[in-house]
């Protein structure tokens, strides 16, 4: 139960501070002048940066490492991520001693109660679409605040603040039904392909959760939903429904005259909401076909918020993308290396097909780290079909995150299902040596676990290798 306004709290302590969503909140409360500290399981670039920014993070579950001023329940609030186990000793201490304890989603809900939340939901596409939306608004006369699920390269941060507007872009995370804590002013729904069945149990329950989420949109607001998403919105009165699509001309917002060249994509955007309007020759700053769809959604919302056409065009051309979202780490005439967060079969399929479209006829090597035993179990066949689109697969062990092993659910099991001749199971400590042996010219790292820790090492290795496409 939330007892008080967080504005009156002196200290904010974060358990799981290094998570991408949590770290945006850490930065927010630092900007508000709070004392902030926290715990995370492992050191990362994010936690090291948070420490330098003034929020010290430690890595052992040890009460003696918590700064003394954070042990007063009258002046401290605790925020935790659902990924933390219930038997975590620090979390247990705070619970047993009457501290105010909030989930990340509850804090976002509190922050945005008095703001106009632009919330982006969906199984996939959330980070890129919310980042595009925030960038368009930020570069326009409208402006915005934003809590993002990735580091946006244009700003080198996952947090944006504004003193001009209460418009606030938020990723609406469906895991643990977190997005039910939000009260959107405008929402985008990019997809509702079943995921997180460890939480929801069935695909039907997953989709029903999105349907309930749509009922939370405020009267006077809007839902911008991808054409064909398999849910039935439950909208309050005076909430407008709009649809968008990359190609479907029956949608309210869609793209036409799509031109894919070497390293660039241009298209025209059609608005059919009132009087048909066309914005011509929009250039994608990150030229990947799936970003056409994401861009249409982002620009639809920008239009509803009053952004002008010339502002949209300029922002889309300058959009640098978010880290780990089709993120080019090496792009030379000798080699290409792309890092992507894809961890759902549909995301994998889109990422792989996008690379194959950009580099037709070239051999593509993918390094995939499955995320969660339950997800691997529930979608093993779909994962195998997506991974079979590669030319070469290097498969890492499953990243367990919050889960215990499930008998029979292993990367070996998944590898057997993949229809490729050139496929290898590889332990993480052997990965760099495997890459050296294969000497690939176009390579992708894929996954939501700790594979990102290898990205700088792989980047260095590829830059040093004598490779020619």
């Amino acid at each position: 139960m939330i007892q008080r306004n967080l504005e009156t709290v002196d200290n904010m302590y974060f358990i799981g501070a290094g998570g991408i969503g949590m770290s945006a909140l850490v930065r927010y409360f630092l900007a508000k002048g709070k004392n902030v500290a926290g715990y995370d399981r492992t050191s990362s670039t994010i936690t090291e940066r948070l420490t330098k920014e003034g929020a010290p993070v430690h890595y052992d579950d040890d009460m003696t490492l918590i700064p003394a001023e954070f042990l007063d329940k009258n002046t401290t609030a605790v925020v935790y991520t659902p990924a933390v186990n219930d038997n975590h000793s620090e979390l247990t201490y705070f619970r047993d001693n009457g501290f105010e304890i909030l989930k990340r989603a509850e804090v976002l809900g509190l922050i945005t109660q008095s703001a106009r939340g632009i919330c982006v939901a969906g199984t996939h596409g959330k980070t890129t679409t919310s980042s595009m939306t925030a960038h368009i608004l930020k570069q326009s006369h409208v402006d915005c605040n934003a809590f993002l699920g990735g580091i946006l390269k244009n700003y080198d941060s996952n947090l944006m603040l504004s003193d001009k507007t209460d418009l606030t872009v938020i990723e609406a995370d469906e895991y643990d039904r977190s997005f039910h804590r939000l009260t959107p002013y405008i929402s985008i729904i990019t997809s509702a392909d079943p995921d997180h069945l460890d939480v929801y149990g069935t695909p039907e329950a997953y989709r029903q959760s999105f349907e309930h989420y749509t009922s939370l949109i405020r009267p006077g607001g809007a839902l911008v939903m991808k054409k064909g998403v398999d849910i039935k919105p439950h909208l309050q009165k005076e909430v407008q429904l709009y649809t968008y699509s990359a190609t479907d001309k029956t949608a309210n917002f869609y793209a036409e005259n799509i031109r894919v060249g070497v390293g660039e994509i241009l298209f025209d955007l059609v608005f059919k909401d009132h009087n048909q309007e066309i914005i011509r020759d929009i250039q994608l700053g990150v030229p990947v076909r799936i970003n056409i769809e994401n861009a249409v959604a982002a620009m639809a919302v920008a239009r509803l918020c009053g952004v002008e056409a010339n502002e949209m065009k300029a922002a889309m051309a300058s959009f640098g993308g978010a880290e780990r979202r089709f993120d080019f780490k090496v792009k030379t005439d000798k080699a290409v290396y792309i890092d992507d967060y894809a961890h759902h079969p549909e995301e994998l399929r889109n990422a792989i097909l996008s690379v194959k479209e950009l580099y037709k006829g070239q051999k593509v090597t993918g390094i995939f780290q499955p995320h969660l035993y339950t997800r691997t179990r529930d979608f093993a066949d779909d994962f195998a079909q997506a991974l079979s689109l590669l030319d070469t697969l290097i498969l890492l062990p499953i990243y367990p995150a919050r889960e215990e092993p499930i008998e029979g659910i292993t990367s070996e099991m998944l590898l057997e299902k993949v229809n490729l001749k050139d496929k290898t199971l590889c332990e993480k400590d052997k990965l760099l040596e495997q890459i050296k042996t294969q000497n690939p010219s176009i390579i992708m790292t894929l996954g939501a676990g700790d594979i990102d820790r290898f990205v700088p090492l792989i980047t260095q290795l590829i830059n040093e290798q004598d490779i020619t496409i």
Side-chain angles (χ1 to χ4, degrees), residues 145-166:
N145 305 274
F147 296 84
L148 303 174
I151 303 297
L152 187 48
K153 292 182 176 182
N154 296 79
Y155 309 92
D156 195 28
S157 184
N158 52 355
L159 174 70
M160 298 179 188
L161 296 175
S162 170
D163 55 8
K164 290 173 53 179
T165 181
D166 67 337

Side-chain angles (χ1 to χ4, degrees), residues 140-142 279 302 306-313:
S140 77
H141 73 282
V142 176
I279 303 176
V307 178
E308 297 173 359
N310 63 322
E311 293 175 324
M312 288 188 212
K313 282 188 68 172

Side-chain angles (χ1 to χ4, degrees), residues 149-452:
I151 303 297
L152 187 48
K153 292 182 176 182
N154 296 79
Y155 309 92
D156 195 28
S157 184
N158 52 355
L159 174 70
M160 298 179 188
L161 296 175
S162 170
D163 55 8
K164 290 173 53 179
T165 181
D166 67 337
L167 287 171
T168 305
V169 180
I170 307 161
E171 280 196 37
D173 186 5
E174 77 277 13
Y175 174 69
D176 198 35
R177 297 178 174 84
S178 292
F179 60 171
H180 292 172
R181 303 282 184 175
L182 303 173
T183 52
Y185 166 61
I186 296 175
S187 182
I188 298 171
I189 294 182
T190 65
S191 50
D193 300 322
D195 196 6
H196 303 299
L197 298 187
D198 57 321
V199 173
Y200 290 100
T202 66
E204 292 74 23
Y206 182 82
R207 286 188 284 265
Q208 287 168 5
S209 184
F210 276 84
E211 291 172 356
H212 174 68
Y213 165 74
T214 65
S215 73
L216 305 176
I217 299 172
R218 302 176 189 176
L223 171 61
V224 179
M225 188 168 74
K226 180 184 170 182
K227 187 81 173 180
V229 169
D230 187 20
I231 65 167
K232 296 178 181 178
H234 297 165
L235 301 178
Q236 299 187 59
K237 291 182 180 178
E238 300 178 8
V239 174
Q240 293 294 314
L241 172 63
Y242 302 92
T243 57
Y244 74 91
S245 173
T247 55
D248 189 337
K249 294 185 178 182
T250 65
N252 299 106
F253 304 89
Y254 64 89
E256 65 178 11
N257 192 23
I258 297 169
R259 288 145 283 166
V260 180
V262 178
E264 71 172 20
I265 293 178
L266 291 98
F267 63 93
D268 301 337
L269 178 64
V270 180
F271 294 122
K272 280 172 44 180
D273 50 333
H274 296 297
N275 298 318
Q276 182 160 310
E277 175 188 353
I278 301 176
I279 303 176
R280 301 194 184 277
D281 299 326
I282 295 165
Q283 184 171 8
L284 288 180
V286 181
V288 185
R289 184 172 285 273
I290 190 63
N291 277 350
I292 299 172
E293 184 174 277
N294 296 330
V296 172
M299 287 187 286
V301 168
R303 165 66 180 270
L304 296 176
C305 292
V307 178
E308 297 173 359
N310 63 322
E311 293 175 324
M312 288 188 212
K313 282 188 68 172
M316 288 312 311
S318 66
F319 178 67
E323 289 186 4
R324 302 223 66 223
R325 270 62 178 188
F326 214 86
D327 188 359
F328 282 91
K329 311 308 291 188
V330 178
K331 190 178 183 181
T332 69
D333 57 354
K334 289 188 174 183
V336 172
Y337 170 34
I338 298 164
D339 179 43
D340 195 89
Y341 191 70
H343 57 283
H344 183 278
E346 186 65 17
E347 294 168 347
L348 282 177
R349 190 181 74 86
N350 285 329
I352 295 166
L353 289 177
S354 294
V355 174
K356 287 186 145 314
E357 181 179 38
L358 286 174
Y359 300 99
K360 290 179 180 176
Q362 302 295 330
K363 180 180 177 181
V364 177
T365 296
I367 303 168
F368 178 54
Q369 182 187 47
H371 184 259
L372 298 178
Y373 294 104
T374 52
R375 184 182 282 125
T376 306
R377 176 197 64 197
D378 295 337
F379 303 107
D381 291 340
D382 295 329
F383 275 121
Q385 289 176 13
L387 293 169
S388 297
L389 296 170
L390 292 164
D391 298 290
T392 299
L393 169 64
I394 301 173
L395 187 63
L396 300 179
I398 296 171
Y399 183 79
R402 57 191 176 269
E403 293 185 340
E404 296 298 323
I406 298 174
E407 186 176 354
I409 306 303
T410 64
S411 286
E412 289 89 342
M413 173 274 296
L414 179 58
L415 191 71
E416 288 181 6
K417 292 176 176 286
V418 175
N419 184 23
L420 278 180
K421 289 184 179 179
D422 195 355
K423 57 183 181 179
T424 305
L425 189 66
C426 182
E427 294 296 325
K428 287 191 291 186
D429 60 356
K430 305 292 185 184
L431 178 58
L432 295 179
E433 194 59 42
Q434 184 70 36
I435 294 170
K436 284 182 184 178
T437 300
Q438 295 193 353
N439 204 31
S441 57
I442 300 177
I443 188 169
M444 308 176 71
T445 43
L446 302 153
D450 62 357
I451 194 171
D452 62 313

